[in-house]
Amino acid sequence: MKKLFPLISIILLLSACSPFALVNSETYNDSDLSQYKTFHIVSPADGHLPPGMEMVTYYNITAAIREQMVERGFTEDPSSPMLINIGLTIHREIDTQPALPPGYTPYAGPYYNGYYPYFMWPRDNYWTGYYANAQVITGIYKEGVLTMDFVNIDTKIPLYSASVATIMQNGNPQFRNLKGIAEAVQTLFSKFPVPMLPQYRDK
């Protein structure tokens, strides 16, 4: 019987691990996100949903992001200077590499083996070549990687970015269910520089 306890502990530990991996988490421009008290999330009116994403998936993702922000003391406000932009890495069949001027990065992100991140609010509004070269994450070029960018839209300056893989079912173009998306977003915020308020940490 005593031999069963270590085995049970290992099983419980493995089952408690998230199926999602944090691809990157990076703060830009020495930004202090705790100085912001409000936020707003990108909407389809600001651009377009990534190909393959339906409104119900968008609502599920934004609801999970909103919950994480509120638990960190932020208030949602459509006039907030802090925008949370959403990007999804998708697959696109292309015959040749697009012809681009040297150093130019399209808002959707550079292609890599047919994959590219597609952002709802065009990323070239704030993502210059400097930031594109700040950190190269090969893991972001996998289908279904969800990225969120925090941007000060008044100054067009990136504040923070994080990515998580993958919000699509393995080998299936369908998005994960509500529970899966919530777990993915929780992982997305796992290294967020502003901690949860005490009342939410042990929930």
Side-chain angles (χ1 to χ4, degrees):
M1 184 67 179
K2 290 181 179 179
K3 293 181 180 179
L4 287 177
F5 286 112
L7 179 61
I8 293 172
S9 298
I10 292 172
I11 292 173
L12 289 175
L13 180 62
L14 291 175
S15 63
C17 292
S18 171
F20 304 98
L22 189 68
V23 177
N24 77 302
S25 177
E26 188 168 0
T27 301
Y28 298 100
N29 300 298
D30 296 319
S31 302
D32 183 359
L33 273 69
S34 66
Q35 296 299 309
Y36 293 83
K37 304 303 178 187
T38 61
F39 72 97
H40 74 280
I41 303 173
V42 67
S43 76
D46 300 314
H48 302 283
L49 290 178
M53 181 185 289
E54 296 181 355
M55 284 301 297
V56 63
T57 306
Y58 163 79
Y59 285 130
N60 289 342
I61 291 171
T62 55
I65 291 174
R66 185 176 295 110
E67 180 179 14
Q68 290 290 327
M69 291 298 288
V70 169
E71 290 179 352
R72 286 166 170 78
F74 293 92
T75 302
E76 189 169 16
D77 181 350
S79 65
S80 174
M82 187 164 70
L83 169 72
I84 303 176
N85 194 20
I86 298 172
L88 179 68
T89 301
I90 60 175
H91 185 265
R92 179 176 178 178
E93 297 293 340
I94 53 175
D95 296 328
T96 59
Q97 193 77 359
L100 298 172
Y104 177 80
T105 302
Y107 80 86
Y111 295 95
Y112 184 80
N113 290 341
Y115 296 93
Y116 72 99
Y118 185 102
F119 285 83
M120 291 182 61
W121 189 51
R123 211 182 199 192
D124 65 354
N125 287 340
Y126 58 91
W127 202 255
T128 65
Y130 169 81
Y131 301 110
N133 295 326
Q135 186 172 351
V136 178
I137 305 292
T138 56
I140 202 172
Y141 297 106
K142 294 179 182 178
E143 190 168 23
V145 173
L146 177 66
T147 299
M148 62 177 185
D149 284 348
F150 284 66
V151 187
N152 184 319
I153 58 171
D154 291 345
T155 59
K156 303 292 176 60
I157 292 179
L159 306 172
Y160 174 79
S161 184
S163 302
V164 65
T166 171
I167 65 167
M168 290 183 177
Q169 298 286 6
N170 291 335
N172 189 322
Q174 298 299 313
F175 288 91
R176 293 182 182 272
N177 58 24
L178 182 61
K179 180 177 181 291
I181 288 175
E183 290 178 1
V185 171
Q186 186 175 9
T187 302
L188 195 62
F189 277 86
S190 60
K191 292 188 178 179
F192 192 70
V194 180
M196 283 186 176
L197 297 174
Q199 62 266 36
Y200 296 111
R201 290 175 191 168
D202 300 319
K203 70 172 187 176

